[in-house]
Short mmCIF file of all heavy atoms in Angstrom, two decimals:
data_model
loop_
_atom_site.label_atom_id
_atom_site.label_comp_id
_atom_site.label_asym_id
_atom_site.label_seq_id
_atom_site.Cartn_x
_atom_site.Cartn_y
_atom_site.Cartn_z
N PRO R 131 144.61 -22.39 -179.27
CA PRO R 131 143.29 -21.77 -179.26
C PRO R 131 142.87 -21.31 -180.65
O PRO R 131 143.69 -21.20 -181.56
CB PRO R 131 143.49 -20.56 -178.34
CG PRO R 131 144.92 -20.18 -178.55
CD PRO R 131 145.65 -21.49 -178.74
N GLY R 132 141.57 -21.06 -180.81
CA GLY R 132 141.09 -20.46 -182.04
C GLY R 132 141.58 -19.03 -182.14
O GLY R 132 141.99 -18.43 -181.14
N PRO R 133 141.56 -18.45 -183.33
CA PRO R 133 142.10 -17.10 -183.50
C PRO R 133 141.39 -16.06 -182.65
O PRO R 133 142.03 -15.15 -182.10
CB PRO R 133 141.90 -16.81 -184.99
CG PRO R 133 140.91 -17.83 -185.47
CD PRO R 133 141.10 -19.02 -184.60
N ARG R 134 140.07 -16.19 -182.47
CA ARG R 134 139.33 -15.21 -181.69
C ARG R 134 139.64 -15.34 -180.21
O ARG R 134 139.66 -14.35 -179.48
CB ARG R 134 137.84 -15.35 -181.97
CG ARG R 134 137.49 -15.02 -183.43
CD ARG R 134 136.19 -15.69 -183.86
NE ARG R 134 135.90 -15.48 -185.27
CZ ARG R 134 136.43 -16.21 -186.27
NH1 ARG R 134 137.27 -17.18 -186.00
NH2 ARG R 134 136.11 -15.96 -187.52
N ASP R 135 139.91 -16.56 -179.76
CA ASP R 135 140.25 -16.77 -178.36
C ASP R 135 141.66 -16.27 -178.05
O ASP R 135 141.92 -15.72 -176.98
CB ASP R 135 140.14 -18.25 -178.02
CG ASP R 135 138.73 -18.75 -178.27
OD1 ASP R 135 137.79 -18.12 -177.78
OD2 ASP R 135 138.58 -19.75 -178.99
N GLY R 136 142.56 -16.43 -179.00
CA GLY R 136 143.90 -15.89 -178.83
C GLY R 136 143.87 -14.37 -178.76
O GLY R 136 144.70 -13.75 -178.09
N LEU R 137 142.92 -13.77 -179.45
CA LEU R 137 142.76 -12.31 -179.37
C LEU R 137 142.42 -11.91 -177.94
O LEU R 137 142.95 -10.92 -177.42
CB LEU R 137 141.66 -11.86 -180.34
CG LEU R 137 141.29 -10.38 -180.32
CD1 LEU R 137 142.48 -9.51 -180.72
CD2 LEU R 137 140.11 -10.12 -181.27
N MET R 138 141.53 -12.68 -177.29
CA MET R 138 141.15 -12.37 -175.92
C MET R 138 142.33 -12.49 -174.96
O MET R 138 142.59 -11.60 -174.15
CB MET R 138 140.03 -13.30 -175.44
CG MET R 138 138.87 -13.48 -176.38
SD MET R 138 138.04 -11.93 -176.79
CE MET R 138 136.91 -12.52 -178.06
N THR R 139 143.07 -13.61 -175.07
CA THR R 139 144.20 -13.81 -174.17
C THR R 139 145.31 -12.80 -174.47
O THR R 139 146.01 -12.36 -173.56
CB THR R 139 144.73 -15.24 -174.26
OG1 THR R 139 145.06 -15.54 -175.62
CG2 THR R 139 143.68 -16.24 -173.78
N GLY R 140 145.45 -12.44 -175.74
CA GLY R 140 146.45 -11.44 -176.11
C GLY R 140 146.12 -10.08 -175.51
O GLY R 140 147.01 -9.37 -175.02
N LEU R 141 144.86 -9.70 -175.57
CA LEU R 141 144.44 -8.44 -174.95
C LEU R 141 144.66 -8.47 -173.44
O LEU R 141 145.05 -7.48 -172.83
CB LEU R 141 142.97 -8.17 -175.27
CG LEU R 141 142.65 -7.72 -176.69
CD1 LEU R 141 141.14 -7.67 -176.90
CD2 LEU R 141 143.26 -6.35 -176.98
N ASN R 142 144.39 -9.63 -172.86
CA ASN R 142 144.61 -9.79 -171.42
C ASN R 142 146.07 -9.53 -171.06
O ASN R 142 146.37 -8.80 -170.10
CB ASN R 142 144.19 -11.21 -171.01
CG ASN R 142 144.72 -11.62 -169.66
OD1 ASN R 142 145.62 -12.44 -169.58
ND2 ASN R 142 144.17 -11.06 -168.60
N GLN R 143 146.98 -10.09 -171.85
CA GLN R 143 148.40 -9.94 -171.56
C GLN R 143 148.90 -8.53 -171.87
O GLN R 143 149.76 -8.00 -171.17
CB GLN R 143 149.19 -10.98 -172.34
CG GLN R 143 148.89 -12.41 -171.90
CD GLN R 143 149.49 -13.45 -172.83
OE1 GLN R 143 150.31 -13.12 -173.68
NE2 GLN R 143 149.07 -14.70 -172.66
#
Side-chain angles (χ1 to χ4, degrees):
R134 296 157 184 82
D135 301 309
L137 176 62
M138 312 302 172
T139 55
L141 286 172
N142 164 253
Q143 294 170 12

